[in-house]
Amino acid sequence: MKIRVFETMHDAGLYTATCLEQVLQYQPNPVLGLATGGSVVPLYEQLVRLTDDGSEWAGATTINLDEYIGLAPSHPQSYRRFMDHHLFNKLHDKPHHIYIPNGNALDLAAECEKYDQIIRNHPIDIQILGIGVNGHIGFNEPDSLLQSRTHVVKLREETIESNARFFASSDEVPRKAITVGVQAILQAKRIILLAFGEAKADIIARTIAGEVRTDIPASMLQLHADVTIVLDAASAKRLSKR
Ligand code: GLP
């Protein structure tokens, strides 16, 4: 794993946006795996700036990791709305294909299967990840086993509490979500995970330097050959200098 520690989230966002821009620029029909959450906001700000002539996006496909179940796409906290607001609505040319799981599908099992087929048809060149305070990636929550495929997940209490900051109260946070499984993440050619702030310091140390464990889903990234962990000083605090 490569570890890059930046002074500010802005610098970290610019570094990561440059990595994505290179893929958009040089890879024919690039496929970007995208994430939501506070950690990726500076990344999308910089990516909009770096690709403002728009042509880079014409042949691109984006595949998001996850979506809440039961929120309309227009709900202010849906991940569809997050992506439109922070990225897609700001681009001159939209990606050729934009995929985000449909958390309102009547048949959720069919939606999961359909999403896996989409990922099989579009192998991901570069996957962006955030990390939950409990080590979740996408919405793959800590458990005694991890699902390899796209699935419906019941969110853990700590995830509901942590994401309540985006809602009026924790009662309004959906209890379930659709997420891609660990297979889709680990099959991406390259992975960049972003984490900032002291609240992530402990889980980052356990993700990078601890055992590979299903109750720390992000520790699975140790099994991948091309992972970069992008941090600030606060989230890197518990890592040894080596
Ligand atoms: C949500 C998303 C995760 C993301 C996490 C981190 O739970 N489902 O994919 O990694 O938020 O969020 P933040 O960057 O706001 O800490």
Side-chain angles (χ1 to χ4, degrees):
M1 276 181 174
K2 283 177 254 163
I3 298 165
R4 300 289 314 261
V5 182
F6 292 89
E7 247 176 56
T8 62
M9 282 173 73
H10 171 276
D11 292 350
L14 181 57
Y15 165 79
T16 312
T18 308
C19 298
L20 287 180
E21 194 262 340
Q22 296 284 304
V23 174
L24 287 169
Q25 205 52 274
Y26 297 114
Q27 172 84 34
N29 303 313
V31 182
L32 310 185
L34 298 181
T36 52
S39 312
V40 292
V41 170
L43 156 63
Y44 294 146
E45 268 167 25
Q46 297 306 317
L47 190 57
V48 168
R49 206 167 59 81
L50 290 181
T51 60
D52 71 349
D53 96 351
S55 57
E56 295 89 340
W57 289 96
T61 296
T62 64
I63 302 183
N64 264 74
L65 287 164
D66 49 13
E67 178 60 286
Y68 289 116
I69 289 179
L71 295 188
S74 59
H75 187 285
Q77 296 310 330
S78 79
Y79 287 166
R80 170 78 227 191
R81 178 82 182 266
F82 176 100
M83 292 307 299
D84 285 343
H85 176 73
H86 290 286
L87 185 62
F88 300 136
N89 288 349
K90 296 184 175 163
L91 300 174
H92 286 288
D93 280 343
K94 304 263 177 288
H96 190 52
H97 294 296
I98 294 173
Y99 296 108
I100 300 178
N102 176 6
N104 274 327
L106 289 178
D107 184 342
L108 289 168
E111 175 65 17
C112 292
E113 258 181 54
K114 196 174 95 189
Y115 213 69
D116 279 334
Q117 191 57 51
I118 288 167
I119 297 167
R120 271 194 293 277
N121 292 344
H122 301 89
I124 294 171
D125 293 305
I126 184 163
Q127 176 68 57
I128 300 301
L129 295 175
I131 183 170
V133 282
N134 62 7
H136 73 217
I137 43 178
F139 267 135
N140 290 278
E141 294 281 44
D143 209 333
S144 53
L145 52 83
L146 293 176
Q147 302 282 333
S148 52
R149 310 276 179 189
T150 301
H151 58 285
V152 171
V153 61
K154 192 167 165 291
L155 300 180
R156 305 260 307 212
E157 217 34 65
E158 61 273 17
T159 298
I160 292 167
E161 281 313 313
S162 166
N163 290 2
R165 67 193 194 278
F166 299 115
F167 292 81
S169 76
S170 58
D171 291 344
E172 289 186 20
V173 182
R175 269 35 190 177
K176 286 186 176 174
I178 295 189
T179 182
V180 304
V182 287
Q183 187 182 61
I185 295 172
L186 291 177
Q187 282 183 348
K189 289 182 204 138
R190 180 172 181 204
I191 299 174
I192 303 183
L193 180 145
L194 300 98
F196 306 110
E198 206 170 338
K200 300 276 173 78
D202 193 41
I203 197 65
I204 282 297
R206 299 179 75 198
T207 293
I208 295 173
E211 296 161 330
V212 176
R213 311 168 54 109
T214 60
D215 59 357
I216 307 175
S219 67
M220 295 287 147
L221 299 177
Q222 292 181 32
L223 306 175
H224 192 281
D226 191 352
V227 178
T228 306
I229 309 281
V230 171
L231 306 172
D232 63 358
S235 60
K237 197 168 123 178
R238 301 233 157 78
L239 297 175
S240 72
K241 285 281 179 291
R242 278 188 301 129

